[in-house]
């Protein structure tokens, strides 16, 4: 008899406690900020934006420092030996005309960046829809 009263009291106390359910808006907002798919979409957009900057950089001149030095050599005759001194060099290049190739690449990368920007919204919408279905 005592165990039935104790079980009934514990059950009624458990049912009387308020539930700790979060509102749907808070769940969706939290998941859209922390979901790995959304992070992936944001990383893809960031990579696409940096590739736009890299494509634009092809318009700029480039400078390269070079250096050569013979580190080891072995010859039968001393007359075949090369100098072992360090030979520095500078190489510069400038793209005078690219026949529209650079601009086409820049436009392609900009469209790719816009695509990934919209992909973030699509991922968030799909996530919100899934959470809403599971919540209800």
């Amino acid at each position: 008899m005592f165990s039935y009263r104790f079980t009934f009291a514990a059950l009624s106390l458990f049912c009387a406690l308020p539930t700790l359910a979060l509102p749907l808006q808070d769940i969706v907002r939290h998941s859209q900020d922390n979901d790995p798919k959304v992070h992936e979409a944001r990383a893809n957009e960031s990579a696409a934006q940096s590739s736009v900057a890299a494509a634009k950089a092809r318009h700029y001149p480039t400078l390269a420092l070079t250096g050569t030095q013979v580190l080891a050599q072995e010859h039968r005759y001393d007359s075949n030996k090369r100098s072992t001194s360090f030979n520095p060099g500078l190489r510069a290049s400038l793209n005078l005309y690219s026949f529209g190739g650079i601009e086409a690449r820049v436009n392609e990368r900009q469209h790719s960046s816009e695509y990934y920007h919209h992909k973030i919204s699509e991922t968030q919408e799909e996530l919100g829809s899934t959470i809403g279905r599971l919540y209800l």
Side-chain angles (χ1 to χ4, degrees):
M1 183 86 167
F2 177 73
S3 63
Y4 291 116
R5 286 185 184 173
F6 180 72
T7 306
F8 180 72
L11 184 62
S12 62
L13 181 64
F14 180 73
C15 292
L17 291 175
T19 59
L20 299 175
L22 294 173
L24 181 60
Q25 292 86 0
D26 292 343
I27 294 172
V28 171
R29 187 178 312 112
H30 177 71
S31 64
Q32 286 180 349
D33 291 339
N34 298 320
D35 189 62
K37 291 181 182 179
V38 176
H39 286 299
E40 178 187 6
R42 287 186 180 136
N44 287 339
E45 181 191 23
S46 176
Q49 287 173 349
S50 65
S51 69
V52 170
K56 287 180 181 178
R58 290 181 170 244
H59 283 297
Y60 305 139
T62 58
L63 292 174
L65 294 174
T66 61
T68 58
Q69 182 177 11
V70 177
L71 297 178
Q73 58 182 331
E74 185 175 329
H75 298 286
R76 181 177 225 174
Y77 303 108
D78 288 337
S79 62
N80 291 338
K81 285 189 178 179
R82 302 181 92 181
S83 171
T84 58
S85 64
F86 180 72
N87 299 318
L90 178 67
R91 183 180 59 196
S93 65
L94 174 64
N95 187 9
L96 295 177
Y97 191 69
S98 66
F99 299 97
I102 294 174
E103 286 303 316
R105 185 172 287 123
V106 168
N107 288 337
E108 174 192 358
R109 302 292 165 86
Q110 285 175 341
H111 291 302
S112 174
S113 178
E114 290 173 10
Y115 166 78
Y116 283 116
H117 178 72
H118 293 298
K119 195 70 175 169
I120 292 172
S121 301
E122 177 188 352
T123 305
Q124 288 176 336
E125 287 175 9
E126 288 176 358
L127 182 64
S129 173
T130 303
I131 291 172
R133 240 186 354 258
L134 294 174
Y135 186 82
L136 300 175

